[in-house]
Every structure is written in structure tokens, then in C-alpha cells.
Amino acid sequence: MRNLASVVGRRAVALSSRGSCARQLQSSLRIEATTSTSQPNITINYAQSRVFSHTRPWRREIPVSEPKRGGSKVWASADEAVADIKSGSVLLSAGFGLCGVASTLIAAIRRRGPESLHSLTAVSNNAGSEGRGGLALLTENGQIDRMIMSYLGANKKLEKQYLTGQIAVELCPQGTIAERIRAAGSGIPAFFTPTGGNTLIQSGSLPTRYSPDGTVVEFSAPRETRIFNGKAYLMETALPGDVAILRAWKVDKAGNCVFRHTTKTFAPLMAKAARLAIVEAENIVEVGELDPSEVNLPGIYIDRIVPATERPQVEIVKTRSPQEFSSSPPKEEAPAQAKRNRIARRAAKELKPGFYVNLGVGIPTLAPSFLPPGQEVWIQSENGILGMGDYPLPEEVDPDIINAGKETTTLVPGASTFDSSESFSMIRGGHVDVSILGALQVSAGGDLANYMIPGKVFKGMGGAMDLVSNPDGTKIVVATEHTAKDGTSKIVAVCGLPVTGRGVVSTVITDLAVFQVDRKKGTLTLTEIAPGVDVEEVRRKTDAGFAVAEELIVME
């Protein structure tokens, strides 16, 4: 992807904030850092030619068939059920990766072809898997004009379509998408959230659509802010749809739905937020066969039912051998792995007995392997699990149980599964005790950058902005190697990359050292050091200044 200076276009934004990203948008987005501990102020000056996502009339009136009361909700086939969807519709597509995706309905929409059905705005967590399933089948077929999503992932075809102006992409934090959809289904036009405060989400600086020559013709919309209890919150608007497509395990002929495990994610939310909701069912049963207490979505929200004919897919199959146990630390096979294990071993000390924890991908996922035998923590996965276990044995693989990395996983005794709105209520509400994430950069003031490298990586923020949105309620720990592959420090005075959250990190754990962050003062203190490492080496490899604790501990 291009350098963000060419991405953002002709405008100037002045942002005064402790630890803000002074270099992140170069000449196109001017950001000034100060040492102020007050709430950052954002002043935005826009060129008159600037176009915002929210000003585009994508929620225009689309003549879709009105739901009919009375008569059967069961349709003979998916092809018949999608035959009256109109071009230009807003399509809410449930699922997470390939888990819980309405693959039968997506295949039917694809069979209509771009001549019959096109210019769709699709709302989903991501676009499925390139060439395999999910909305990728429709983006590749030229039927989608706009995606509203939290994560681009590894879909190279979609990335190319985005960069050449064939598809607009509105990136939105995962929890915000869930809440916008939930609000639409509840008749709530807008709400305020801490997620994305003082980032490119707030300032409206993310490119949404390019022209074929690579210039930006549309940007994300700046968010209105309001102060509650001394903290800034962003206003987000509801996100309704014309048609929702979802997949359920069991559906009775009245439309009552039962979902298995992590297939819930967005399904109940999207059905409520659409004018017309179509569910494909793995099992269609008679009215009265479902126990009312097991119904996850009441039939009032479902208009059409079709049999699911496509088999569920697994995006990433990860398994363990019978000899592997979560209480056995991984073997240190090489220097690189030794570094990772050192970080993970120290990160495990942040997980106290009975804690509810969220672990980011990569090094953070190794931390439970170093817990003392018998110590129990509850691992939360933002796609809807509380009580996530190990990777499954080969014979235990279940396509309806995946983690936030779209990998197969298991559930421990006492686990629960739920939809994405519930998941992010736990996260934003501060009910999770500790969240451990990786990082591209961490500033001395606790600013975190971990979702984007201009010119190299632009995959989306997923749930990371939500995970750091309540640092007073949930302790944010960064577990990362001290330097990047090119040798540059990841512990910096001021972030040079777009930030995920400002002043959110409390502890930084690297292969060389442990730092404690004073988020109010914006300062770092070195409290632990790795064996064989001295303070001078840490100083040489750390861009940020730091104090040294009087009692410097050696890491185990």
C-alpha cells in the first residue's frame, strides 16, 4: 500500500496530544506531540473537495419486498429467497471468517451475477477467505461496491480492488460495528463510545475509496465528540441493512433460531437490524420441537428460511497432539523462540488466579503455557468465547468453535459463548481484568500502535481499539520483542505509526526488559531486566527515555 502521505490527500490536521504520532501522516496530516496530560484536542481543517464516507447517500431507499405476516416462512431454495434482492441494497452478512457464514445464500447471490445484482454495500466483520468462501465470492464477482468491515485480513484480491478504486472500504472497529448494528435493531439512532478516541477514526483520516490512478477520492468521516465524566467519547451512528443473511444450526418453521458456539457473533444482531432477514438452516424442525429456553433468536426477526446446502468450512485448522498439554511450557528450540518464551513467561505473571483475560495473537497466546499447574484463568476471545481452551486434537475439530484468529480451538468446562455485542460489552465495560497485546510501537506515554504500517501493512484494527478503550478498567499489557526486524526500537518517545489507543498501556514486556508506564505523567520506568543484559544495552536499544527503579529485578 502507498505511503499514507499520498493516501490521506490534501489537508492539514493539527492534533495536540501527549504521545501523539508526529510523523504518521507526514505532510498530509500534521500531528503535534506535547507532554500535556489533559485530554487531546483535535482541530481539523478540510479541503472543500474532501468527501466523507458518512456524507455518501449509501442508505438510500431500496425497493425490497416487505416482510409478509402469515403463511409459511420456509422457502424451497436459497435461489428463490434471494431473487428479489435489489441492486444497491445494504447487505448484512453474518459470520466471522468462514465460521457461521451464510454460504448457501452467498452462493445463490453469486449465481445471480453482476448483471442481475450489483452495487451492494456489504457489512461484515471481514470478507471471508479469498477464493474459498464468505463475501470474497461476491467481491471477486464484482457484485459489491462497498465494504464496511473491521479487518481486511489476507485477502489480496480485495486489497487490490480497494487500492484501484473498484471497491470502497470503510474500516470500523469490530466492537463498534457490532454496537452500530445492535443500535439499528433496537431503534437507537446513535450512541457514544470510547473506542477510537484520538485516533484516525476520530479525525476522519482513513482512506475509504481510491480512484484508478491511486489518489484518494473519499475519506472516513470525522466523529463528533462529547465529554462524559471528564473523558472524550465518539458518536457513532446506527448501521441498518436492507437484507440480512445468516446461518443457524436449528430453525423451527416459526423462525426461532438456535446457533452453535461461535457461529453467534453477528447473526442475532444483523437479523434484528435488517428490513428483511433470511436464515439458512442446517436443520429445519416443526414448531414446538425447540425448547423455548434454547432459542437464541426469536422468530419475530426472521422472514425467510431456506435449507443450508453448503457444508461449513474452517478457515485455519490448528490442532495439537495428544502429548501436548496447556500446563507444559513449549520447548525452547532456537534463540528466536527463546526470546518469545521469555516474554510469554513474564507475561504469565500478569495472569492471577481466576482472572478474566484477553490474549492477542502471537506471543500473548503463549502466556497460559507458563502458568503454574492448577492455576485457572478464564480466556476471553472477542468473537464470543469466555473459557477458551487449547487447540483441539485432530478428531475434536469443530467448524463452529474458532478463536479470534479464525483458528480451531476448544472450550473448557464452564465456558460460555455469545454474540459480538455481548463480547464487546465485557471488553469496553472493563469486566476483563487483563488484555495482553502485541505491538508495532509503544510510546513513553503508553500510546499503542499495532494495526498499520503506512506503505506496508493496512489490514484493519479488528477488535484492538475496543480492547484498549477502557485502560482504567482493564489493565493493558504489551508483550513484544524489543526491536523490529530492522533493529529499530519498538519502545519510542513518540509513535511514528497510526495509534490504536492513546495513553492506554500500563506494562511493557520485551525480551530485554520490563517497563511500567505512568499513564498520567507519560513516563517509563525500567523495573526488570533480562539475564545477561545490562541497563546500558537497554538504553542503546530504546528510543524512549526512561527512569530505572531503585530495585531492579532480573527476569526469570
Side-chain angles (χ1 to χ4, degrees):
M1 188 184 161
R2 297 156 180 76
N3 185 293
L4 206 57
S6 64
V7 167
V8 177
R10 300 184 184 92
R11 69 182 181 82
V13 175
L15 169 63
S16 297
S17 165
R18 167 185 45 77
S20 59
C21 299
R23 297 179 296 276
Q24 65 179 358
L25 302 183
Q26 299 182 6
S27 62
S28 296
L29 175 57
R30 183 170 58 86
I31 299 180
E32 298 172 353
T34 74
T35 57
S36 170
T37 59
S38 61
Q39 284 288 339
N41 298 312
I42 294 183
T43 304
I44 308 172
N45 298 308
Y46 304 108
Q48 291 184 350
S49 61
R50 182 177 170 85
V51 178
F52 300 120
S53 298
H54 286 196
T55 61
R56 179 182 183 273
W58 63 267
R59 275 297 295 145
R60 54 198 176 280
E61 294 297 316
I62 301 296
V64 297
S65 297
E66 291 297 325
K68 295 180 180 179
R69 301 303 188 193
S72 176
K73 293 184 178 182
V74 180
W75 291 54
S77 70
D79 291 285
E80 293 181 18
V82 305
D84 59 348
I85 297 177
K86 306 299 182 183
S87 295
S89 294
V90 177
L91 181 70
L92 307 181
S93 180
F96 190 88
L98 297 182
C99 180
V101 168
S103 51
T104 303
L105 290 164
I106 289 174
I109 293 171
R110 181 182 171 92
R111 283 193 291 272
R112 284 191 56 183
E115 300 80 13
S116 170
L117 183 58
H118 56 83
S119 304
L120 297 173
T121 292
V123 182
S124 187
N125 180 66
N126 67 328
S129 180
E130 183 178 331
R132 293 183 59 197
L135 291 178
L137 300 182
L138 303 185
T139 60
E140 294 165 9
N141 207 34
Q143 292 175 274
I144 293 178
D145 175 68
R146 174 176 296 256
M147 286 288 310
I148 302 177
M149 60 199 302
S150 74
Y151 191 64
L152 237 66
N155 193 324
K156 295 297 183 183
K157 287 185 179 179
L158 176 58
E159 185 177 33
K160 183 177 180 181
Q161 288 175 306
Y162 166 52
L163 294 174
T164 56
Q166 299 174 59
I167 290 180
V169 174
E170 294 185 32
L171 283 176
C172 184
Q174 186 178 331
T176 299
I177 288 181
E179 198 65 13
R180 290 178 68 190
I181 296 169
R182 190 203 65 80
S186 302
I188 298 172
F191 58 91
F192 285 91
T193 176
T195 302
N198 297 296
T199 71
L200 301 186
I201 296 292
Q202 180 175 338
S203 61
S205 304
L206 291 170
T208 297
R209 188 186 289 275
Y210 292 91
S211 66
D213 66 4
T215 58
V216 181
V217 296
E218 184 182 342
F219 297 86
S220 60
R223 273 34 169 198
E224 177 185 333
T225 62
R226 189 170 296 180
I227 304 298
F228 296 94
N229 299 319
K231 182 176 179 179
Y233 290 77
L234 311 188
M235 190 183 81
E236 295 283 357
T237 55
L239 184 52
D242 296 306
V243 181
I245 56 173
L246 53 148
R247 183 182 181 107
W249 177 48
K250 283 185 182 180
V251 181
D252 71 13
K253 292 183 178 180
N256 296 307
C257 298
V258 179
F259 303 97
R260 290 190 73 244
H261 305 312
T262 56
T263 64
K264 295 181 180 75
T265 53
F266 292 91
L269 307 174
M270 289 180 168
K272 298 173 185 179
R275 299 178 183 179
L276 182 74
I278 311 173
V279 60
E280 61 179 68
E282 295 178 28
N283 302 278
I284 300 176
V285 301
E286 295 296 328
V287 174
E289 288 190 36
L290 296 180
D291 184 331
S293 65
E294 69 176 325
V295 172
N296 301 125
L297 180 69
I300 189 173
Y301 300 111
I302 295 297
D303 303 298
R304 299 175 185 178
I305 306 165
V306 302
T309 58
E310 298 280 338
R311 293 174 60 86
Q313 297 186 66
V314 179
E315 190 158 343
I316 304 173
V317 177
K318 292 290 287 288
T319 61
R320 61 182 172 87
S321 69
Q323 290 74 36
E324 292 179 274
F325 299 95
S326 61
S327 59
S328 300
K331 296 180 180 179
E332 301 186 13
E333 300 176 343
Q337 188 60 46
K339 282 186 183 181
R340 293 166 59 88
N341 288 347
R342 182 184 304 140
I343 299 167
R345 185 181 297 108
R346 173 58 183 82
K349 293 183 179 296
E350 301 291 328
L351 310 181
K352 307 304 181 184
F355 265 27
Y356 296 97
V357 303
N358 184 288
L359 304 176
V361 297
I363 293 174
T365 61
L366 300 176
S369 299
F370 294 95
L371 289 173
Q375 180 172 318
E376 183 181 75
V377 298
W378 296 92
I379 299 177
Q380 198 256 16
S381 184
E382 61 257 36
N383 64 310
I385 298 175
L386 186 61
M388 186 171 68
D390 291 330
Y391 292 126
L393 296 170
E395 63 270 20
E396 294 176 333
V397 169
D398 187 330
D400 293 340
I401 307 177
I402 64 165
N403 63 23
K406 305 176 185 66
E407 303 168 327
T408 50
T409 189
T410 59
L411 306 175
V412 302
S416 57
T417 59
F418 31 83
D419 67 41
S420 292
S421 178
E422 187 74 50
S423 179
F424 284 96
S425 292
M426 295 178 187
I427 291 167
R428 288 191 308 270
H431 304 287
V432 175
D433 295 295
V434 177
S435 183
I436 305 179
L437 299 90
L440 297 170
Q441 287 181 338
V442 184
S443 80
D447 297 344
L448 171 65
N450 75 344
Y451 79 98
M452 179 181 181
I453 302 177
K456 294 182 180 180
V457 177
F458 190 36
K459 300 302 182 185
M461 67 290 294
M465 285 188 175
D466 300 278
L467 286 166
V468 302
S469 66
N470 188 356
D472 294 326
T474 299
K475 183 177 182 180
I476 306 302
V477 177
V478 162
T480 183
E481 293 187 6
H482 203 93
T483 59
K485 291 181 179 179
D486 62 1
T488 57
S489 176
K490 289 188 175 185
I491 319 301
V492 296
V494 176
C495 285
L497 298 174
V499 297
T500 306
R502 296 190 183 281
V504 297
V505 178
S506 293
T507 301
V508 182
I509 302 168
T510 78
D511 52 302
L512 299 183
V514 177
F515 297 94
Q516 300 301 329
V517 183
D518 188 322
R519 295 190 292 112
K520 292 184 178 180
K521 295 181 179 179
T523 58
L524 282 178
T525 300
L526 177 67
T527 57
E528 300 178 38
I529 199 165
V533 175
D534 57 32
V535 174
E536 290 310 309
E537 180 180 355
V538 176
R539 289 197 188 280
R540 288 196 308 271
K541 296 181 178 180
T542 305
D543 178 70
F546 58 84
V548 180
E550 291 184 7
E551 295 184 12
L552 192 60
I553 300 172
V554 177
M555 296 169 62
E556 293 183 8

